Amino acid sequence: MWLEPNEWTEVLQATLETIYMVGLSGLFTVILGIPLGIFLVLTDKGQLLENRVVNLILSVIVNVFRSIPFIILMVLLIPFTRTIVGTPIGSTAATVPLIVGAAPFFARLVETSLREVNKGVIEAALSMGANIRQIIFKVYLPEAMPSIISGITVTLVALIGYSAMAGVLGGGGLGNMAIIYGYQLYNTPVMLVTTAIILLLVQLVQTLGDTISRRIDKK
């Protein structure tokens, strides 16, 4: 029931691949998701940049990509992934569907966080002559940051799960190892170890995210 030295080496490599996939896709998810969430709020009815057409288009895009199961999304994006990365398999290739799948999900979390900002604070800033840029960076984001951090935490946890599913299509990482060595080769110890590491990563991300969110929450 114990792993061989070479298996531990492969588990370590798979763990690093998973961290790489989650880290890289998480970074780009935040970079894309925050602006998208901001525009979803600002272009809505009664908001500073009200534009029903733009808001509808953004909402449809977000809803469509949020609704597609990740495994199917990976298959649909194979041509796009090959164009961007040069290959549809491997850890780097897996980050493409991870970003496409997670960014709309995170954007909705950002939108929800921004909508929770006290309207009185926004109105006070407007009465003092604040422009849209100042409203975004001096009011919306600082006030919503604890909630946004929680959203990032939820998204990273989801990305860990997505990265494991990416192993089904050769995405590398712990999911790929669990499927090839654990399931297909009936290696139960490998299956248990990879599962335990995935659970540990989830717990670490959740604990770190909760800690940061509490520390920056001024309420």
Side-chain angles (χ1 to χ4, degrees), residues 25-48:
S25 58
L27 174 63
F28 280 96
T29 292
V30 171
I31 291 174
L32 295 173
I34 289 180
L36 184 54
I38 290 173
F39 277 106
L40 282 169
V41 172
L42 294 183
T43 58
D44 200 4
K45 183 178 179 180
Q47 298 296 329
L48 300 176

Side-chain angles (χ1 to χ4, degrees), residues 44-117:
D44 200 4
K45 183 178 179 180
Q47 298 296 329
L48 300 176
L49 296 176
E50 180 180 346
N51 189 316
R52 294 187 178 184
V53 175
V54 172
N55 187 265
L56 177 61
I57 293 173
L58 291 177
S59 294
V60 170
I61 292 174
V62 167
N63 291 337
V64 166
F65 283 100
R66 282 182 62 202
S67 303
I68 302 175
F70 181 69
I71 293 295
I72 297 176
L73 182 63
M74 283 193 68
V75 175
L76 291 175
L77 290 178
I78 284 177
F80 180 68
T81 301
R82 184 183 286 112
T83 300
I84 298 295
V85 182
T87 176
I89 61 175
S91 301
T92 301
T95 61
V96 176
L98 284 173
I99 295 168
V100 174
F105 170 76
F106 177 62
R108 283 299 187 192
L109 296 180
V110 172
E111 179 190 12
T112 300
S113 299
L114 296 179
R115 291 187 186 281
E116 293 175 352
V117 174

Side-chain angles (χ1 to χ4, degrees), residues 144-179:
M145 191 54 63
S147 182
I148 291 176
I149 293 297
S150 295
I152 292 175
T153 303
V154 171
T155 303
L156 289 176
V157 170
L159 281 171
I160 294 173
Y162 289 165
S163 71
M165 286 189 284
V168 175
L169 296 178
L174 291 167
N176 186 65
M177 187 169 187
I179 291 169

